[in-house]
Short mmCIF file of all heavy atoms in Angstrom, two decimals:
data_model
loop_
_atom_site.label_atom_id
_atom_site.label_comp_id
_atom_site.label_asym_id
_atom_site.label_seq_id
_atom_site.Cartn_x
_atom_site.Cartn_y
_atom_site.Cartn_z
N LYS A 1475 -116.46 121.82 93.69
CA LYS A 1475 -117.34 121.68 94.84
C LYS A 1475 -117.57 120.21 95.20
O LYS A 1475 -117.55 119.33 94.35
CB LYS A 1475 -118.69 122.35 94.56
CG LYS A 1475 -118.61 123.87 94.49
CD LYS A 1475 -119.98 124.48 94.32
CE LYS A 1475 -119.91 125.99 94.30
NZ LYS A 1475 -121.25 126.62 94.13
N ARG A 1476 -117.85 119.99 96.49
CA ARG A 1476 -118.21 118.67 96.96
C ARG A 1476 -119.67 118.40 96.64
O ARG A 1476 -120.45 119.33 96.37
CB ARG A 1476 -117.98 118.57 98.47
CG ARG A 1476 -118.01 117.14 98.99
CD ARG A 1476 -117.75 117.05 100.47
NE ARG A 1476 -117.81 115.68 100.91
CZ ARG A 1476 -117.90 115.30 102.17
NH1 ARG A 1476 -117.91 116.21 103.14
NH2 ARG A 1476 -117.96 114.03 102.50
N ALA A 1477 -120.05 117.14 96.68
CA ALA A 1477 -121.44 116.76 96.41
C ALA A 1477 -122.37 117.39 97.45
O ALA A 1477 -121.96 117.64 98.59
CB ALA A 1477 -121.57 115.24 96.44
N PRO A 1478 -123.65 117.63 97.10
CA PRO A 1478 -124.61 118.15 98.07
C PRO A 1478 -124.76 117.19 99.26
O PRO A 1478 -124.51 115.98 99.13
CB PRO A 1478 -125.91 118.22 97.26
CG PRO A 1478 -125.48 118.28 95.83
CD PRO A 1478 -124.23 117.47 95.75
N GLN A 1479 -125.19 117.70 100.39
CA GLN A 1479 -125.27 116.91 101.61
C GLN A 1479 -126.20 115.72 101.46
O GLN A 1479 -125.94 114.64 102.00
CB GLN A 1479 -125.73 117.79 102.79
CG GLN A 1479 -125.60 117.10 104.14
CD GLN A 1479 -124.17 116.70 104.47
OE1 GLN A 1479 -123.25 117.50 104.31
NE2 GLN A 1479 -123.96 115.46 104.90
N TRP A 1480 -127.31 115.88 100.70
CA TRP A 1480 -128.24 114.76 100.56
C TRP A 1480 -127.59 113.61 99.79
O TRP A 1480 -127.89 112.44 100.05
CB TRP A 1480 -129.54 115.21 99.90
CG TRP A 1480 -129.43 115.56 98.44
CD1 TRP A 1480 -129.21 116.78 97.88
CD2 TRP A 1480 -129.54 114.64 97.33
NE1 TRP A 1480 -129.16 116.71 96.51
CE2 TRP A 1480 -129.38 115.40 96.15
CE3 TRP A 1480 -129.78 113.27 97.23
CZ2 TRP A 1480 -129.42 114.83 94.88
CZ3 TRP A 1480 -129.84 112.69 95.96
CH2 TRP A 1480 -129.66 113.47 94.81
N VAL A 1481 -126.71 113.95 98.86
CA VAL A 1481 -125.98 112.91 98.11
C VAL A 1481 -125.02 112.18 99.05
O VAL A 1481 -124.90 110.95 99.01
CB VAL A 1481 -125.22 113.54 96.92
CG1 VAL A 1481 -124.35 112.49 96.23
CG2 VAL A 1481 -126.19 114.15 95.94
N ILE A 1482 -124.33 112.94 99.91
CA ILE A 1482 -123.41 112.35 100.89
C ILE A 1482 -124.17 111.44 101.84
O ILE A 1482 -123.75 110.31 102.13
CB ILE A 1482 -122.67 113.45 101.66
CG1 ILE A 1482 -121.80 114.28 100.70
CG2 ILE A 1482 -121.80 112.85 102.76
CD1 ILE A 1482 -121.22 115.53 101.32
N ASN A 1483 -125.31 111.92 102.34
CA ASN A 1483 -126.12 111.14 103.29
C ASN A 1483 -126.64 109.85 102.66
O ASN A 1483 -126.80 108.84 103.36
CB ASN A 1483 -127.30 111.97 103.80
CG ASN A 1483 -126.85 113.14 104.67
OD1 ASN A 1483 -125.74 113.14 105.18
ND2 ASN A 1483 -127.71 114.12 104.83
N ALA A 1484 -126.88 109.89 101.36
CA ALA A 1484 -127.38 108.70 100.65
C ALA A 1484 -126.26 107.75 100.22
O ALA A 1484 -126.52 106.75 99.56
CB ALA A 1484 -128.18 109.13 99.43
N LYS A 1485 -125.04 108.05 100.63
CA LYS A 1485 -123.86 107.24 100.29
C LYS A 1485 -123.64 107.18 98.78
O LYS A 1485 -123.18 106.18 98.23
CB LYS A 1485 -123.98 105.81 100.84
CG LYS A 1485 -124.44 105.71 102.28
CD LYS A 1485 -123.52 106.40 103.24
CE LYS A 1485 -124.00 106.27 104.68
NZ LYS A 1485 -123.23 107.10 105.62
N LEU A 1486 -123.93 108.29 98.10
CA LEU A 1486 -123.80 108.33 96.64
C LEU A 1486 -122.73 109.32 96.17
O LEU A 1486 -122.68 109.67 94.99
CB LEU A 1486 -125.15 108.70 96.01
CG LEU A 1486 -126.27 107.67 96.15
CD1 LEU A 1486 -127.57 108.23 95.61
CD2 LEU A 1486 -125.91 106.36 95.45
N GLU A 1487 -121.87 109.75 97.08
CA GLU A 1487 -120.84 110.71 96.69
C GLU A 1487 -119.91 110.14 95.63
O GLU A 1487 -119.41 110.85 94.77
CB GLU A 1487 -120.04 111.16 97.91
CG GLU A 1487 -119.10 112.31 97.62
CD GLU A 1487 -118.46 112.90 98.86
OE1 GLU A 1487 -118.57 112.28 99.94
OE2 GLU A 1487 -117.84 113.97 98.76
N TRP A 1488 -119.70 108.82 95.69
CA TRP A 1488 -118.86 108.16 94.70
C TRP A 1488 -119.40 108.38 93.29
O TRP A 1488 -118.64 108.54 92.33
CB TRP A 1488 -118.76 106.66 95.00
CG TRP A 1488 -120.10 105.96 95.01
CD1 TRP A 1488 -120.93 105.80 96.09
CD2 TRP A 1488 -120.76 105.34 93.91
NE1 TRP A 1488 -122.07 105.13 95.72
CE2 TRP A 1488 -121.99 104.83 94.39
CE3 TRP A 1488 -120.44 105.17 92.57
CZ2 TRP A 1488 -122.91 104.17 93.58
CZ3 TRP A 1488 -121.34 104.50 91.74
CH2 TRP A 1488 -122.55 104.00 92.26
N LEU A 1489 -120.74 108.39 93.16
CA LEU A 1489 -121.36 108.58 91.85
C LEU A 1489 -121.11 109.99 91.33
O LEU A 1489 -120.80 110.20 90.16
CB LEU A 1489 -122.86 108.31 91.94
CG LEU A 1489 -123.65 108.41 90.63
CD1 LEU A 1489 -123.10 107.43 89.59
CD2 LEU A 1489 -125.13 108.11 90.90
N GLN A 1490 -121.23 110.97 92.23
CA GLN A 1490 -120.96 112.36 91.84
C GLN A 1490 -119.52 112.53 91.40
O GLN A 1490 -119.23 113.26 90.45
CB GLN A 1490 -121.30 113.28 93.02
CG GLN A 1490 -121.25 114.76 92.70
CD GLN A 1490 -119.88 115.38 92.95
OE1 GLN A 1490 -119.03 114.78 93.60
NE2 GLN A 1490 -119.66 116.57 92.41
N ARG A 1491 -118.60 111.85 92.10
CA ARG A 1491 -117.18 111.96 91.74
C ARG A 1491 -116.89 111.29 90.40
O ARG A 1491 -116.05 111.77 89.64
CB ARG A 1491 -116.32 111.37 92.85
CG ARG A 1491 -116.36 112.18 94.14
CD ARG A 1491 -115.26 111.78 95.08
NE ARG A 1491 -115.26 112.61 96.28
CZ ARG A 1491 -114.31 112.58 97.21
NH1 ARG A 1491 -113.28 111.76 97.08
NH2 ARG A 1491 -114.38 113.36 98.26
N ILE A 1492 -117.57 110.19 90.11
CA ILE A 1492 -117.40 109.53 88.81
C ILE A 1492 -117.84 110.47 87.69
O ILE A 1492 -117.18 110.58 86.64
CB ILE A 1492 -118.20 108.21 88.75
CG1 ILE A 1492 -117.49 107.13 89.59
CG2 ILE A 1492 -118.35 107.73 87.31
CD1 ILE A 1492 -118.22 105.81 89.63
N ILE A 1493 -118.94 111.17 87.91
CA ILE A 1493 -119.46 112.09 86.90
C ILE A 1493 -118.48 113.25 86.67
O ILE A 1493 -118.25 113.67 85.53
CB ILE A 1493 -120.84 112.63 87.32
CG1 ILE A 1493 -121.86 111.49 87.32
CG2 ILE A 1493 -121.29 113.75 86.40
CD1 ILE A 1493 -123.21 111.87 87.92
N SER A 1494 -117.87 113.73 87.76
CA SER A 1494 -116.98 114.88 87.65
C SER A 1494 -115.57 114.50 87.19
O SER A 1494 -114.91 115.28 86.51
CB SER A 1494 -116.90 115.62 88.99
OG SER A 1494 -116.37 114.78 89.99
N GLU A 1495 -115.10 113.30 87.57
CA GLU A 1495 -113.75 112.84 87.19
C GLU A 1495 -113.81 111.36 86.78
O GLU A 1495 -113.28 110.50 87.46
CB GLU A 1495 -112.77 112.99 88.36
CG GLU A 1495 -112.55 114.40 88.85
CD GLU A 1495 -111.57 114.45 90.01
OE1 GLU A 1495 -111.93 113.99 91.11
OE2 GLU A 1495 -110.43 114.92 89.81
N PRO A 1496 -114.45 111.06 85.65
CA PRO A 1496 -114.68 109.65 85.29
C PRO A 1496 -113.42 108.80 85.16
O PRO A 1496 -113.39 107.67 85.65
CB PRO A 1496 -115.43 109.75 83.94
CG PRO A 1496 -115.13 111.13 83.44
CD PRO A 1496 -114.99 111.98 84.65
N LYS A 1497 -112.40 109.32 84.52
CA LYS A 1497 -111.19 108.52 84.29
C LYS A 1497 -110.54 108.10 85.61
O LYS A 1497 -110.15 106.94 85.80
CB LYS A 1497 -110.19 109.31 83.45
CG LYS A 1497 -108.95 108.51 83.07
CD LYS A 1497 -108.06 109.32 82.13
CE LYS A 1497 -106.82 108.52 81.74
NZ LYS A 1497 -105.93 109.29 80.81
N LYS A 1498 -110.43 109.03 86.54
CA LYS A 1498 -109.80 108.77 87.82
C LYS A 1498 -110.69 107.94 88.74
O LYS A 1498 -110.25 106.95 89.34
CB LYS A 1498 -109.44 110.09 88.50
CG LYS A 1498 -108.87 109.94 89.91
CD LYS A 1498 -108.60 111.30 90.53
CE LYS A 1498 -108.10 111.17 91.95
NZ LYS A 1498 -107.84 112.52 92.57
N GLN A 1499 -111.96 108.32 88.84
CA GLN A 1499 -112.83 107.74 89.85
C GLN A 1499 -113.35 106.35 89.48
O GLN A 1499 -113.61 105.54 90.37
CB GLN A 1499 -114.00 108.68 90.13
CG GLN A 1499 -113.58 110.02 90.72
CD GLN A 1499 -112.84 109.88 92.05
OE1 GLN A 1499 -113.03 108.92 92.78
NE2 GLN A 1499 -111.97 110.84 92.35
N ILE A 1500 -113.51 106.06 88.21
CA ILE A 1500 -113.94 104.71 87.82
C ILE A 1500 -112.90 103.68 88.26
O ILE A 1500 -113.23 102.61 88.77
CB ILE A 1500 -114.20 104.62 86.30
CG1 ILE A 1500 -115.50 105.36 85.95
CG2 ILE A 1500 -114.29 103.17 85.84
CD1 ILE A 1500 -115.78 105.43 84.47
N LYS A 1501 -111.64 104.02 88.09
CA LYS A 1501 -110.57 103.12 88.52
C LYS A 1501 -110.59 102.93 90.02
O LYS A 1501 -110.45 101.80 90.53
CB LYS A 1501 -109.22 103.70 88.08
CG LYS A 1501 -108.02 102.81 88.43
CD LYS A 1501 -106.73 103.43 87.91
CE LYS A 1501 -105.54 102.55 88.27
NZ LYS A 1501 -104.26 103.14 87.77
N ARG A 1502 -110.80 104.01 90.77
CA ARG A 1502 -110.82 103.93 92.23
C ARG A 1502 -112.03 103.14 92.72
O ARG A 1502 -111.92 102.31 93.63
CB ARG A 1502 -110.82 105.35 92.82
CG ARG A 1502 -109.51 106.09 92.59
CD ARG A 1502 -109.65 107.58 92.86
NE ARG A 1502 -109.80 107.88 94.27
CZ ARG A 1502 -108.79 108.12 95.10
NH1 ARG A 1502 -107.54 108.10 94.64
NH2 ARG A 1502 -109.00 108.41 96.35
N CYS A 1503 -113.19 103.40 92.12
CA CYS A 1503 -114.40 102.68 92.53
C CYS A 1503 -114.31 101.20 92.17
O CYS A 1503 -114.82 100.34 92.91
CB CYS A 1503 -115.63 103.31 91.89
SG CYS A 1503 -116.05 104.91 92.58
N SER A 1504 -113.67 100.89 91.07
CA SER A 1504 -113.48 99.49 90.68
C SER A 1504 -112.64 98.74 91.71
O SER A 1504 -112.91 97.58 92.03
CB SER A 1504 -112.83 99.40 89.30
OG SER A 1504 -113.66 99.95 88.31
N LEU A 1505 -111.64 99.43 92.24
CA LEU A 1505 -110.80 98.83 93.28
C LEU A 1505 -111.63 98.51 94.51
O LEU A 1505 -111.49 97.43 95.10
CB LEU A 1505 -109.66 99.79 93.64
CG LEU A 1505 -108.75 99.36 94.79
CD1 LEU A 1505 -108.02 98.07 94.45
CD2 LEU A 1505 -107.75 100.47 95.12
N ILE A 1506 -112.52 99.43 94.89
CA ILE A 1506 -113.38 99.19 96.06
C ILE A 1506 -114.31 98.01 95.81
O ILE A 1506 -114.44 97.11 96.65
CB ILE A 1506 -114.20 100.45 96.37
CG1 ILE A 1506 -113.28 101.59 96.84
CG2 ILE A 1506 -115.25 100.17 97.44
CD1 ILE A 1506 -113.99 102.90 97.07
N VAL A 1507 -114.96 98.00 94.66
CA VAL A 1507 -115.94 96.96 94.34
C VAL A 1507 -115.31 95.58 94.33
O VAL A 1507 -115.89 94.60 94.81
CB VAL A 1507 -116.62 97.26 92.99
CG1 VAL A 1507 -117.45 96.06 92.52
CG2 VAL A 1507 -117.50 98.49 93.10
N THR A 1508 -114.08 95.49 93.82
CA THR A 1508 -113.43 94.18 93.71
C THR A 1508 -112.75 93.73 95.01
O THR A 1508 -112.53 92.55 95.21
CB THR A 1508 -112.39 94.18 92.58
OG1 THR A 1508 -111.43 95.24 92.81
CG2 THR A 1508 -113.06 94.40 91.24
N SER A 1509 -112.44 94.68 95.89
CA SER A 1509 -111.67 94.35 97.09
C SER A 1509 -112.51 94.21 98.35
O SER A 1509 -112.26 93.33 99.18
CB SER A 1509 -110.60 95.42 97.33
OG SER A 1509 -109.72 95.51 96.25
N LEU A 1510 -113.50 95.07 98.53
CA LEU A 1510 -114.19 95.14 99.81
C LEU A 1510 -115.03 93.91 100.17
O LEU A 1510 -115.14 93.59 101.36
CB LEU A 1510 -115.04 96.40 99.89
CG LEU A 1510 -114.25 97.70 100.01
CD1 LEU A 1510 -115.17 98.85 100.40
CD2 LEU A 1510 -113.13 97.59 101.04
N PRO A 1511 -115.62 93.20 99.22
CA PRO A 1511 -116.34 91.98 99.64
C PRO A 1511 -115.44 91.00 100.39
O PRO A 1511 -115.83 90.44 101.43
CB PRO A 1511 -116.83 91.39 98.31
CG PRO A 1511 -116.99 92.58 97.42
CD PRO A 1511 -115.86 93.49 97.79
N GLY A 1512 -114.22 90.78 99.88
CA GLY A 1512 -113.29 89.88 100.56
C GLY A 1512 -112.86 90.41 101.90
O GLY A 1512 -112.70 89.66 102.88
N ILE A 1513 -112.65 91.74 101.99
CA ILE A 1513 -112.26 92.37 103.25
C ILE A 1513 -113.39 92.24 104.27
O ILE A 1513 -113.16 91.95 105.45
CB ILE A 1513 -111.91 93.86 103.02
CG1 ILE A 1513 -110.67 93.96 102.13
CG2 ILE A 1513 -111.67 94.58 104.34
CD1 ILE A 1513 -110.36 95.38 101.67
N TYR A 1514 -114.62 92.42 103.81
CA TYR A 1514 -115.80 92.29 104.69
C TYR A 1514 -115.91 90.87 105.23
O TYR A 1514 -116.11 90.65 106.44
CB TYR A 1514 -117.06 92.67 103.92
CG TYR A 1514 -118.34 92.53 104.71
CD1 TYR A 1514 -118.90 93.63 105.34
CD2 TYR A 1514 -118.99 91.30 104.82
CE1 TYR A 1514 -120.08 93.52 106.08
CE2 TYR A 1514 -120.16 91.17 105.55
CZ TYR A 1514 -120.70 92.28 106.17
OH TYR A 1514 -121.86 92.14 106.90
N ILE A 1515 -115.78 89.89 104.35
CA ILE A 1515 -115.90 88.48 104.76
C ILE A 1515 -114.82 88.11 105.77
O ILE A 1515 -115.07 87.39 106.75
CB ILE A 1515 -115.84 87.56 103.51
CG1 ILE A 1515 -117.09 87.76 102.65
CG2 ILE A 1515 -115.70 86.10 103.92
CD1 ILE A 1515 -117.02 87.11 101.30
N LYS A 1516 -113.62 88.60 105.53
CA LYS A 1516 -112.51 88.32 106.46
C LYS A 1516 -112.81 88.87 107.85
O LYS A 1516 -112.57 88.20 108.87
CB LYS A 1516 -111.22 88.92 105.92
CG LYS A 1516 -109.98 88.61 106.76
CD LYS A 1516 -108.73 89.19 106.11
CE LYS A 1516 -107.49 88.90 106.95
NZ LYS A 1516 -106.26 89.47 106.31
N GLU A 1517 -113.36 90.09 107.92
CA GLU A 1517 -113.68 90.69 109.22
C GLU A 1517 -114.85 89.96 109.88
O GLU A 1517 -114.86 89.76 111.10
CB GLU A 1517 -114.04 92.16 109.04
CG GLU A 1517 -114.17 92.94 110.32
CD GLU A 1517 -112.84 93.22 111.01
OE1 GLU A 1517 -111.78 93.10 110.35
OE2 GLU A 1517 -112.86 93.56 112.21
N TYR A 1518 -115.80 89.51 109.08
CA TYR A 1518 -116.94 88.77 109.62
C TYR A 1518 -116.47 87.45 110.23
O TYR A 1518 -116.91 87.05 111.32
CB TYR A 1518 -117.96 88.51 108.52
CG TYR A 1518 -119.18 87.75 108.99
CD1 TYR A 1518 -120.22 88.42 109.65
CD2 TYR A 1518 -119.30 86.38 108.79
CE1 TYR A 1518 -121.34 87.73 110.10
CE2 TYR A 1518 -120.41 85.68 109.24
CZ TYR A 1518 -121.43 86.36 109.89
OH TYR A 1518 -122.53 85.66 110.34
#
């Protein structure tokens, strides 16, 4: 199942996915955390 709607609205779906699939999702979330600040600054 997908995360409840209130979790999605709170932008916390990533946390629910980490809990359900820690090995896969920690790696994916780490990529976001390390990459998006630079991507944001470039767009700014």
Side-chain angles (χ1 to χ4, degrees):
K1475 291 184 178 180
R1476 194 178 179 194
Q1479 191 60 48
W1480 70 267
V1481 174
I1482 297 170
N1483 293 341
K1485 314 300 181 188
L1486 293 174
E1487 189 171 11
W1488 58 271
L1489 183 58
Q1490 188 270 346
R1491 292 194 177 188
I1492 286 178
I1493 293 172
S1494 62
E1495 298 180 290
K1497 185 175 181 180
K1498 175 182 177 180
Q1499 296 300 333
I1500 287 176
K1501 182 178 180 180
R1502 292 165 71 90
C1503 288
S1504 297
L1505 176 62
I1506 294 175
V1507 169
T1508 57
S1509 301
L1510 289 193
I1513 295 171
Y1514 178 96
I1515 292 170
K1516 184 177 180 180
E1517 190 72 18
Y1518 181 81

